[in-house]
Amino acid sequence: MMSASTHTPIPVACLLGPTASGKTAAALAFAARRPVEIVSVDSALVYREMDIGTAKPDAEERARVPHHLIDIVDPADAYSAADFRTDTLRLCGEIAARGRMPLLVGGTMLYYRALTQGLNELPAANPEVRASLDADAAREGWPAMHARLAAIDPETAARLAPNDSQRIQRALEVFLLAGQPMSALLNAPSREDTAAHWRFVPVALEPSDRSVLHERIARRFDAMLANGFIDEVERLRARGDLHAGLPSMRCVGYRQAWEYLDGAVDYATMRDKGVFATRQLCKRQLTWLRSMPERIVVDCCADDAVERALTALEQAVG
């Protein structure tokens, strides 16, 4: 099996892909062949009480193979890419010590990049993130954006004027991309790469025809609605300690359902906005994946996609 004492980096298969690409089915099929434990690479699955809208693996699936980093954070709290990196490196060691294989599965590419590249350096500019921040600023104004920054990075906000749009945008962009305040990144000491013990091998489920994935996304969102997604969000709202600005409630689908329950949009508009937002998430995920030339690509639209994924995963772990 795997030895944690060897100096040769241990290969760890990472099954990555956009939403609705079939990651869960492929992961469970691989777990039927190999003694693996799944480590979730998903920024929404960490939250408790958010099951339907996150397409969380069900009890039967989680009983078939151990899953980690699911249901570990209350929706009122935050969980960063830095937290993920720390937890995943620890889990890889613990799983290997049990004589089993860690299998990383998910679509939060920021988490994967944090794991494999670290977080000390400030992330490069991201046009999509900046466009989203500009749209928020157009609605709310830059003083409100400055207040948002003050809540997550008071040190940086304290040195910026409330209308310093360029620097406020950059500080918010860094937080969204890195999961840590800019001040923390700038103040962090250089560190030895604790991920060097592992060799993370990305297997990417990508569509040869994106319209196929779009159809899956629409069907899955409709199934979530039919299975009580709105009731789930109503229960979360009824707690009284959650609001639409929290990272948990800004997850795709939850933001649109919250707007609907606020009376800001009707049901049909909420549904269409939810599907559109999920498609946009899919687009961002594919952009991240295609920036990784080392990945092993599997066509998730193929009839034998699961078998192809299994072959790729076997290749990844050797």
Side-chain angles (χ1 to χ4, degrees), residues 10 33 46 125 139 224 239 275-276:
I10 298 171
R33 291 188 176 186
V46 299
R139 289 192 305 270
M224 289 175 179
R239 287 178 29 156
V275 170
F276 178 76

PDB file of all heavy atoms in Angstrom, residues 10 33 46 125 139 224 239 275-276:
ATOM      1  N   ILE A  10       4.468  10.637  -2.427  1.00  0.00           N
ATOM      2  CA  ILE A  10       3.408   9.647  -2.588  1.00  0.00           C
ATOM      3  C   ILE A  10       2.346  10.207  -3.537  1.00  0.00           C
ATOM      4  O   ILE A  10       1.842  11.306  -3.321  1.00  0.00           O
ATOM      5  CB  ILE A  10       2.770   9.322  -1.228  1.00  0.00           C
ATOM      6  CG1 ILE A  10       3.816   8.713  -0.289  1.00  0.00           C
ATOM      7  CG2 ILE A  10       1.574   8.382  -1.393  1.00  0.00           C
ATOM      8  CD1 ILE A  10       3.334   8.561   1.140  1.00  0.00           C
ATOM      9  N   ARG A  33     -12.924  -0.436  -5.954  1.00  0.00           N
ATOM     10  CA  ARG A  33     -11.756  -1.181  -6.423  1.00  0.00           C
ATOM     11  C   ARG A  33     -10.563  -1.059  -5.489  1.00  0.00           C
ATOM     12  O   ARG A  33      -9.766  -1.981  -5.374  1.00  0.00           O
ATOM     13  CB  ARG A  33     -11.322  -0.655  -7.804  1.00  0.00           C
ATOM     14  CG  ARG A  33     -12.247  -0.938  -8.937  1.00  0.00           C
ATOM     15  CD  ARG A  33     -11.579  -0.525 -10.231  1.00  0.00           C
ATOM     16  NE  ARG A  33     -12.372  -0.839 -11.407  1.00  0.00           N
ATOM     17  CZ  ARG A  33     -11.938  -0.665 -12.660  1.00  0.00           C
ATOM     18  NH1 ARG A  33     -10.721  -0.183 -12.878  1.00  0.00           N
ATOM     19  NH2 ARG A  33     -12.708  -0.981 -13.673  1.00  0.00           N
ATOM     20  N   VAL A  46     -18.622  21.691   3.045  1.00  0.00           N
ATOM     21  CA  VAL A  46     -18.122  21.815   4.424  1.00  0.00           C
ATOM     22  C   VAL A  46     -19.239  22.218   5.385  1.00  0.00           C
ATOM     23  O   VAL A  46     -19.155  21.961   6.585  1.00  0.00           O
ATOM     24  CB  VAL A  46     -16.965  22.839   4.530  1.00  0.00           C
ATOM     25  CG1 VAL A  46     -15.783  22.403   3.675  1.00  0.00           C
ATOM     26  CG2 VAL A  46     -17.416  24.248   4.170  1.00  0.00           C
ATOM     27  N   ALA A 125      -4.401  38.775 -10.803  1.00  0.00           N
ATOM     28  CA  ALA A 125      -5.706  39.379 -11.069  1.00  0.00           C
ATOM     29  C   ALA A 125      -6.594  38.396 -11.826  1.00  0.00           C
ATOM     30  O   ALA A 125      -6.134  37.635 -12.673  1.00  0.00           O
ATOM     31  CB  ALA A 125      -5.542  40.658 -11.875  1.00  0.00           C
ATOM     32  N   ARG A 139     -24.014  48.581  -7.603  1.00  0.00           N
ATOM     33  CA  ARG A 139     -25.275  48.533  -6.866  1.00  0.00           C
ATOM     34  C   ARG A 139     -25.160  49.178  -5.488  1.00  0.00           C
ATOM     35  O   ARG A 139     -26.069  49.876  -5.049  1.00  0.00           O
ATOM     36  CB  ARG A 139     -25.730  47.073  -6.700  1.00  0.00           C
ATOM     37  CG  ARG A 139     -26.205  46.396  -7.959  1.00  0.00           C
ATOM     38  CD  ARG A 139     -26.902  45.074  -7.630  1.00  0.00           C
ATOM     39  NE  ARG A 139     -26.036  44.202  -6.847  1.00  0.00           N
ATOM     40  CZ  ARG A 139     -25.191  43.322  -7.388  1.00  0.00           C
ATOM     41  NH1 ARG A 139     -25.099  43.222  -8.705  1.00  0.00           N
ATOM     42  NH2 ARG A 139     -24.453  42.548  -6.613  1.00  0.00           N
ATOM     43  N   MET A 224     -33.381  19.367  -7.332  1.00  0.00           N
ATOM     44  CA  MET A 224     -33.175  19.946  -6.000  1.00  0.00           C
ATOM     45  C   MET A 224     -34.434  20.678  -5.531  1.00  0.00           C
ATOM     46  O   MET A 224     -34.862  20.533  -4.377  1.00  0.00           O
ATOM     47  CB  MET A 224     -31.995  20.918  -6.023  1.00  0.00           C
ATOM     48  CG  MET A 224     -30.630  20.265  -6.159  1.00  0.00           C
ATOM     49  SD  MET A 224     -29.341  21.533  -6.325  1.00  0.00           S
ATOM     50  CE  MET A 224     -27.879  20.509  -6.444  1.00  0.00           C
ATOM     51  N   ARG A 239     -33.269  30.183  11.458  1.00  0.00           N
ATOM     52  CA  ARG A 239     -32.323  30.168  12.586  1.00  0.00           C
ATOM     53  C   ARG A 239     -32.153  31.574  13.172  1.00  0.00           C
ATOM     54  O   ARG A 239     -31.927  31.727  14.365  1.00  0.00           O
ATOM     55  CB  ARG A 239     -30.962  29.657  12.128  1.00  0.00           C
ATOM     56  CG  ARG A 239     -30.912  28.186  11.856  1.00  0.00           C
ATOM     57  CD  ARG A 239     -29.555  27.724  11.366  1.00  0.00           C
ATOM     58  NE  ARG A 239     -28.413  28.506  11.840  1.00  0.00           N
ATOM     59  CZ  ARG A 239     -27.168  28.048  11.918  1.00  0.00           C
ATOM     60  NH1 ARG A 239     -26.912  26.791  11.571  1.00  0.00           N
ATOM     61  NH2 ARG A 239     -26.177  28.818  12.327  1.00  0.00           N
ATOM     62  N   VAL A 275     -30.064  28.317 -12.249  1.00  0.00           N
ATOM     63  CA  VAL A 275     -29.461  27.520 -13.322  1.00  0.00           C
ATOM     64  C   VAL A 275     -28.346  28.310 -13.999  1.00  0.00           C
ATOM     65  O   VAL A 275     -27.254  27.782 -14.256  1.00  0.00           O
ATOM     66  CB  VAL A 275     -30.529  27.089 -14.343  1.00  0.00           C
ATOM     67  CG1 VAL A 275     -29.881  26.472 -15.577  1.00  0.00           C
ATOM     68  CG2 VAL A 275     -31.511  26.105 -13.709  1.00  0.00           C
ATOM     69  N   PHE A 276     -28.596  29.591 -14.264  1.00  0.00           N
ATOM     70  CA  PHE A 276     -27.597  30.421 -14.933  1.00  0.00           C
ATOM     71  C   PHE A 276     -26.345  30.559 -14.063  1.00  0.00           C
ATOM     72  O   PHE A 276     -25.214  30.442 -14.549  1.00  0.00           O
ATOM     73  CB  PHE A 276     -28.164  31.806 -15.251  1.00  0.00           C
ATOM     74  CG  PHE A 276     -27.178  32.733 -15.900  1.00  0.00           C
ATOM     75  CD1 PHE A 276     -26.843  32.586 -17.241  1.00  0.00           C
ATOM     76  CD2 PHE A 276     -26.568  33.739 -15.178  1.00  0.00           C
ATOM     77  CE1 PHE A 276     -25.921  33.426 -17.850  1.00  0.00           C
ATOM     78  CE2 PHE A 276     -25.639  34.593 -15.774  1.00  0.00           C
ATOM     79  CZ  PHE A 276     -25.328  34.433 -17.111  1.00  0.00           C
TER      80      PHE A 276
END
